[in-house]
Each structure stands twice: as C-alpha cells, then as structure tokens.
Amino acid sequence: MRSLTTTLAICFGMTTPALADDLEFEITFYLQPDSTGQNTLNKSIQIEGDEVTIEESRNEGRNRYVERKATSAEIALVEKLVRARIAGFDVAGAERPDAPRVEVEFEVDGGATTLEIEEIYPAGSVPDAYVDLQKVFFEDVFE
C-alpha cells in the first residue's frame, strides 16, 4: 500500500482538458536512503514547450545534465502521466514511510495555474507508471 502526502495549490480556472503546450511540467524523484537527508539522490525531468531538461545526481559524484528538444512521444508521455495523476487525485492521510523511501514530486505551471503534488513510497513500491517514465529519461531508476 502506498503512502501519500500531498501539497496541492490549484487555481480552479484549470480543467483537465485545458492542459496545453504553454504549460511547464516538472517531475522529480528523490531517493532518501536514510533518515539524515544528507545522502539524498535526485532525478528530474522538466518539459517546457518542446524543450526537455534532464538532471540526475548520483552517489558516486557522476552527475548528468542534458538540455535538448523533447520528442512528441516524450511530451505526450509526461502529459499523459500528469493528466492521469490529476484525474485520480484523492486526499488520504497516511504515515510517512521510514527510509529508504522514494519521493515523487510533480509540478505543473501555467502562469496563473499552479499544481504541485508529492507522493512518498517505501523503497521497492514505486508505481509502475513512475518506474516506466524513469526508464525513458534516466540511466537507472528509483523503485
């Protein structure tokens, strides 16, 4: 069972079909291997228009930063995941899992429309949709 912590800021002028090319999508994955927060690793995907920025921090100090044109398939994949997450949004309280855990945060920004959701999963229980997304953009995945 997943644990869900949510921060939600929505300007209610946004409806799901209104998501469009002028919005910026950012999805970040944080691996918290222990409770200190000092050994956190992260990966992020940011899509703005047809540009994608990919960042990865790695525990062996080999960081990765890529800026390039996003393919239409990549844009569609990220937008589809965000739309599905918004459509399936539910507020439910749960205890924060102990480390190791994976935090998944995504943001949508469209000027007057802002949405931020954070979900926290025990290591080994990240939903397949998030694992599959990581496989498209990153060298390895946080599961």
Side-chain angles (χ1 to χ4, degrees):
M1 184 169 130
R2 70 181 184 166
S3 178
L4 175 66
T5 300
T6 306
T7 303
L8 180 63
I10 297 180
C11 293
F12 287 100
M14 185 181 102
T15 61
T16 303
L19 293 177
D21 293 337
D22 60 338
L23 294 180
E24 177 182 321
F25 299 98
E26 184 169 357
I27 301 175
T28 306
F29 300 88
Y30 300 96
L31 173 63
Q32 302 282 357
D34 56 44
S35 60
T36 69
Q38 295 179 5
N39 298 311
T40 302
L41 300 176
N42 61 63
K43 304 171 183 295
S44 70
I45 307 155
Q46 179 180 359
I47 293 183
E48 186 171 4
D50 66 348
E51 299 288 323
V52 63
T53 303
I54 302 165
E55 295 184 67
E56 292 183 82
S57 69
R58 305 180 61 82
N59 57 3
E60 58 277 346
R62 190 174 52 91
N63 296 331
R64 179 175 173 242
Y65 181 87
V66 176
E67 284 183 338
R68 62 171 172 77
K69 294 284 186 197
T71 68
S72 57
E74 290 171 334
I75 295 169
L77 176 65
V78 170
E79 187 171 342
K80 180 181 176 183
L81 180 68
V82 170
R83 283 179 184 264
R85 187 60 197 102
I86 291 170
F89 183 77
D90 183 30
V91 177
E95 288 189 33
R96 181 177 296 259
D98 292 331
R101 64 180 181 254
V102 176
E103 298 174 13
V104 181
E105 180 180 291
F106 72 81
E107 298 178 38
V108 179
D109 187 355
T113 301
T114 303
L115 168 71
E116 180 180 338
I117 294 177
E118 179 180 324
E119 299 170 286
I120 303 173
Y121 302 95
S125 64
V126 175
D128 291 342
Y130 289 140
V131 172
D132 293 343
L133 180 76
Q134 291 178 77
K135 289 177 181 177
V136 170
F137 291 97
F138 305 122
E139 294 178 0
D140 54 13
V141 301
F142 298 152
E143 294 184 70

